[in-house]
Amino acid sequence: MSARGPLGLLARVVAAELRQHLRDPLTLVFMVVVPLFLYPVLGMLGNRLVQTALAEADAEVLAVAVEPAIELPDNLRGVPADDLAEAVRSGKVLAAARVTAAGDGADVWWDSRSPDSLDARGRLGDALKEHRKATQIRRVDAEDTMTEADRLREMAARILPALLLFTLLSGGLYTALDIITGEKERGTLETLLSTAVDRRVVMGGKFVVVLCFTGSTAFFSILSSWASAKWAMGLELPMGTALIALGLFLPMAVLLSAILCVAAAWAQDFKSGQVLTTPLLVMPLAMAAVSLLPGFALTPASAMVPIAGLALATREVLAGRGEPLTVGLAFVATCGWAALTLAAGARMMGREDVVMGTRGSGQRRLRGDYRLDAVGVWAVAFLLMWFLGQTAQSVEVRGGMVFTQLGLLAPLAVIAPWWLGLPIRETLRWRAAPPLEWFRALIVGLCMPAVGLGAHWVQSLLLTTPSTFFAGVFPEDAPLWQLVVCFAVLPGLCEELLFRGAFFGLWRTRASPWMACVVTAIAFGMFHLSIFRFLSTGVLGLVLGVISLRSRSVMPGMLAHTLNNAFFMVAMAYGWDVQPSWLMVLPIALAVAALVVPGTTVRSAEPGL
Amino acid sequence: MIVVDRLVKTFADAEGKPVHAVDQVSFSAGVGEIVGLLGPNGAGKTTTMRMLATLVAPDGGQAKVAGHDVREAAAEVRRSIGYLSANTGLFGRLTPREVLVYIAELQGCNDAVARAEALLDRFDIRKFAHVACDRLSTGMKQKVNIARAVVHDPPVLIFDEPTSGLDVLVAQDLFTFLEDMRERGRCILYSTHIMGEAERLCDRLVVIHGGRVLATGTLAELRAITGRERLEDVFMFLVRGAAA
């Protein structure tokens, strides 16, 4: 007889089930780590990108027609037009207005499909308000030049890409899990792998099956949406347009099928497969959702972005305004991404440890592979920085910075190798460097601000940094010595210890020094929590990595990092207007020369752990 | 037909410390011979067989199957073996006939259909040939699986605990089949926990424990070494001796 009552037994069941599931690391990862990362990343990318898109839209001069002509603000350009409504309908102008003969009112025409037209209507309304002060205009009537069918088509064009992507993913997801992860569990994968057929052929066959399912889902989705638009909404979507949309989605099907297959192969069992593939439903959908957001246009740059580029291209095609060249570019770019993913997937699915499920943290460590641990260290640093560092800095910038660097990053750099049972000094490459390497770091450190500015200028060609981006980041009224200590010396010491020390040291365990250098630079760029600083901080990370590589020590990089940051603090304190210019070529050339000059250790191999 | 020379496979525990699943294992099996691989759970039998089937790569040593090196000529090795283990499942939504034809084609047989039909008769599964494998009984599934393993008529059979979960009747059918295969010159590596099976079938025995070979020889030779009569006592004597 059990001494427990029903509630006691219920509690016992709950406790045992919780113990069972909480001991599965993947459950914990997706319950805790994914939500912690997802929202910062979406917030960082989405909010900033929308800000940029809106800022760019604000800065654009829009064409309008006004009859009779009135004084327009700088962000509107007057264009003569005979038929105002037709001028808007044809796209000649974004909005038009006619002030009545009596001068007491105005009629405005606009195109509800276009966010730019909405913007132009707003600006024109403001201009008429200004004009009204001097005249008798009492009413402004806005008229949409688009028909109901046009509006429906626009709505469909915005929603369909994300919807198509969702159906495509759901079509391939179960198949990938069933024929790869499920077959691992059921043993049929081992049956196949024990035949004479090459492992990659087996996995390639499975990929083609997943592709068939995703492709078929895309076909039936487009067929169904075309029929529904025609019969349910009364919307005539040309068959040619639907076929082009289908053609556009085929490389998307290849890309997503490859991603699904890799995730399914990586999973050891069906449960972990489901856990791993769940974010695959979220992330591509989030990227495709740009077709719904205001201000995102299909440009040569956005066409190159995986998933988002093709979603925008499909939107434009379905809306009947796609420019063939840009749409083609999105198609080609997606084909390229699909090919890359396929190549990476083929390589991964040929691996014994992935296919046979014999990998694990112990197995990696036995091989001396600590790269995944490096990613873990980066992830912890990111979370610490996002949740604690930013909070502390929002309370008091200088104190928060001291806390972030000395209280979070430096301890993490030291604890990581200790936790992994690795020698701390060797992992962090905490060793003396010859004088020549210090001299190299001095020269490069003095020239690095120009390198960073150059990189920032290149990035600004693709992504405009909002003018208010750096406002309030640094306390401008603080004494210079405090700025230098908090924003130059401490980051120079602690970030170098974490990135060129711990992260590089762990990644270096199974990668060439140069590859470790590049990966560390990317990690360093991503760590700075801003897509506007990604390229500049990434390039600086690369330069610091080269210094560290050549000196075989983390120390000279600390000097260069400190000098770089100190320059900007001094510039801010003295009010220097630091802007990119052609003069930067000189220090950049000097930095490159200093980096390539052979040193005392250049011929020595970078020692491993 | 099978030559295993100082084969090594090392895995890692959760802390990354090496665990030698197979440690310097050596033995051989010839034409028309059934060699039994005996050992307690975790002894390294399955890992050894998986290395011979080229499913996992050895970390050291050498192994040749039908004259082909498991590392350098993996495809030829797999073409030369029929591999059956607890992990080799059947495609549940395919019928036995479809499974046999499919595997025969993957193994490069031009007469896949004819081979499949012959095996349906040989294993007495014709009346279930059109039923999805998921709906077959355990014994029937294992019959299909054995037929699947030999559909390309390989010279070497590697069977890892093939009688697990089978009733006596199906097990007897399997023994008869394996004895027939031996008569036809096939080399068979057979692992089991059931000593009676090993006594009945195996010409030679390899006792393995903790990844190491404890003893090899005929049953008579092992009896002589240990001074025990029953194979179960021989096995216990060797394994307990190694543990001590």
Side-chain angles (χ1 to χ4, degrees), chain A residues 178 187 190-191 195 352 362-363, chain B residues 12 50 57 78 87 89-90 93:
Chain A
D178 185 47
E190 190 156 322
T191 300
T195 64
E352 172 193 307
Q363 206 63 29
Chain B
R50 282 181 143 202
R78 289 198 297 271
N87 294 322
L90 293 173
R93 292 187 283 271

Side-chain angles (χ1 to χ4, degrees), chain A residues 114 196 304 395 404 419 430 488 600:
Chain A
S114 156
M304 305 294 286
V395 175
T404 304
W419 178 267
W430 185 261
T600 48

Side-chain angles (χ1 to χ4, degrees), chain A residues 263-287:
Chain A
W266 188 256
Q268 311 246 20
D269 52 44
F270 210 87
K271 185 198 168 190
S272 63
Q274 284 177 315
V275 173
L276 275 173
T277 46
T278 303
L280 292 180
L281 284 172
V282 178
M283 289 309 288
L285 275 175
M287 293 180 82

